[in-house]
Amino acid sequence: MPGIDDREYHKVAPVPDGPRPSIYELREPPVDLGAWLDAALPALRGARVLDAGCGPGMYVPATRQRARELVALDIAHGRLGDVDHPRRVCGDVQALPFPDTSFDVVMAMHMLYHVPDIPLAAAELRRVLRDSGVLYAFTNSERAQHELLDLVTQCGGDAAAFGDARFSNETGGALLATAFADVVLVEDTSTRLVVTDAECIVDEVVRLRYALEPSVERSWDGFVADVRSGAQAVIDREGAFVMSENHGLFTCR
């Protein structure tokens, strides 16, 4: 996301008290999500919006403040239970349960790389949009957080297991062009994740265990221990484990 706050980047950030934060809560500079939506997704204002693959609803509160009407859809019924919104639909983006031309705007935020058939999903997203509608699809570069990918590789994991390359800044345009005539990518490299507690790195690796473990050719506990020690070595040497970010927002019509 673009950095809204231009305060100076500090290499060493304090670790807050209480539960450990996600690495994504350690972004520098911090981002005002509402201001970012206004700048990057201006068509949300006054629109009928579908948040496709909404997950636990990260974008729902800010989008509700801007949209005329919002529908939150996810394939996982359990995740929908975490979404604070009355209009929740359990469904597959490859076979959307809506009539043609139902929405002014569709959001597909950090989710298309999870979809088995991305061109089919793109066609469905195009189908439910009005002729003048817009799709916003948010993703990462294949080299985003390359510091973490390199650490995982050094410890015996396969960075490809993260799966971002299936729909990335580099590959997403061609996939979306199978359904949309006008596809524009805006990349942003203005933020970094600054981690001073190695356990935050471990938490992220454990969160992705379902994808990573099949590539690890030894015990999972040994792999995690090596990730922990590797991250701690960087923190001890440099003051923080800093991960570069490179987001990409596709705007499609």
Side-chain angles (χ1 to χ4, degrees), residues 174-219:
L175 292 163
L176 293 168
T178 62
F180 291 86
D182 184 16
V183 177
V184 176
L185 170 65
V186 175
E187 294 189 79
D188 180 72
T189 59
S190 65
T191 59
R192 297 184 274 191
L193 306 177
V194 183
V195 181
T196 57
D197 182 354
E199 294 305 316
C200 293
I201 302 292
V202 171
D203 288 348
E204 179 66 7
V205 167
V206 170
R207 184 182 73 83
L208 296 169
R209 180 173 182 170
Y210 72 96
L212 281 168
E213 189 170 17
S215 72
V216 177
E217 296 183 352
R218 58 197 180 92
S219 78

Side-chain angles (χ1 to χ4, degrees), residues 47-51 68-73 87 89 96-107 124-134:
R48 186 165 196 254
V49 178
L50 172 65
D51 186 351
R68 171 173 52 86
E69 184 179 352
L70 173 65
V71 177
L73 175 138
R87 298 213 61 190
V89 176
L96 289 167
F98 307 109
D100 295 356
T101 66
S102 294
F103 298 96
D104 303 304
V105 176
V106 174
M107 303 163 64
E124 277 290 278
L125 297 173
R126 175 65 269 183
R127 179 185 67 77
V128 301
L129 276 170
R130 298 186 174 129
D131 289 344
S132 59
V134 58

